[in-house]
Amino acid sequence: MDAALVRQARAGSEVAFARLVAIHEKPLRGFLRKSGWIDADDIAQEAFVAAWSDLPRLRDDAGFRAWLYGVAWKKALSQRRGAQRAAARDEAWRGEQDLEAAAEVAAEDRLALETALATLPEDQRACVTLCLGQAWSHAEVSDALGIPLGTVKSHVTRGRERLLAVLGGSR
């Protein structure tokens, strides 16, 4: 059934393409939702718009469904990458704000903190710096550094304790 509708749509029939949308819209949105995409409706809509304009590139009319799902999946991944880039830009801006705020801290305090951080193992120092110094969540640090979530939590807890001991603070 898809193949005949695809041929008609390729010939310019908007009615045939609307029928393809009606057939595949609900299952495609369901697939995207079950795959973890909160904005499945938007992604599906973008996929149908792209499918309409790219229909001449479809090699096998009978393979429309698989091709459509591939288009939707690529749209979803592209959207995720865009969101990650935006989050990275936001984090860089926050980092700049943190640096400006850190400039207001006395030089001897900054030096003492840097010296104390240098006593931590590399992985622990990275986790402490991101979680405590830049307000990242444990999950974000786990993803960014490729370290298991439980290990990140342990590193932050132990690192905090070590810093407090070295700097002479209380828990």
Side-chain angles (χ1 to χ4, degrees), residues 9-163:
R10 279 186 203 238
S13 172
E14 292 178 8
V15 172
F17 191 76
R19 181 72 183 124
L20 285 167
V21 170
I23 292 168
H24 295 288
E25 179 177 27
K26 189 174 180 180
L28 179 62
R29 290 173 193 238
F31 160 72
L32 291 167
R33 279 191 194 99
K34 288 176 185 168
S35 297
W37 301 100
I38 295 169
D39 44 359
D41 295 341
D42 294 338
I43 296 168
Q45 184 175 358
E46 289 178 29
F48 282 115
V49 169
W52 174 249
S53 63
D54 292 343
L55 201 54
R57 296 184 189 146
L58 176 62
R59 293 182 189 144
D60 176 18
D61 293 349
F64 176 78
R65 181 177 66 173
W67 175 73
L68 174 65
Y69 277 54
V71 168
W73 187 250
K74 289 173 188 155
K75 291 280 181 195
L77 294 176
S78 176
Q79 186 179 57
R80 176 186 291 156
R81 284 189 300 273
Q84 288 171 336
R85 284 191 300 270
R89 283 190 303 271
D90 291 347
E91 188 58 40
W93 178 82
R94 281 192 291 275
E96 291 171 9
Q97 300 304 307
D98 291 344
L99 287 175
E100 289 174 13
E104 297 170 9
V105 175
E108 61 272 6
D109 290 338
R110 275 198 321 270
L111 184 58
L113 179 60
E114 289 173 11
T115 302
L117 280 169
T119 68
L120 301 178
E122 185 177 67
D123 284 355
Q124 201 174 68
R125 184 173 52 245
C127 292
V128 166
T129 300
L130 292 175
C131 287
L132 301 180
Q134 296 188 16
W136 284 33
S137 72
H138 292 120
E140 289 173 316
V141 173
S142 175
D143 288 343
L145 302 181
I147 297 173
L149 182 60
T151 304
V152 170
K153 291 177 181 181
S154 296
H155 281 341
V156 171
T157 300
R158 289 185 186 124
R160 178 187 294 127
E161 290 171 355
R162 174 87 175 142
L163 289 175

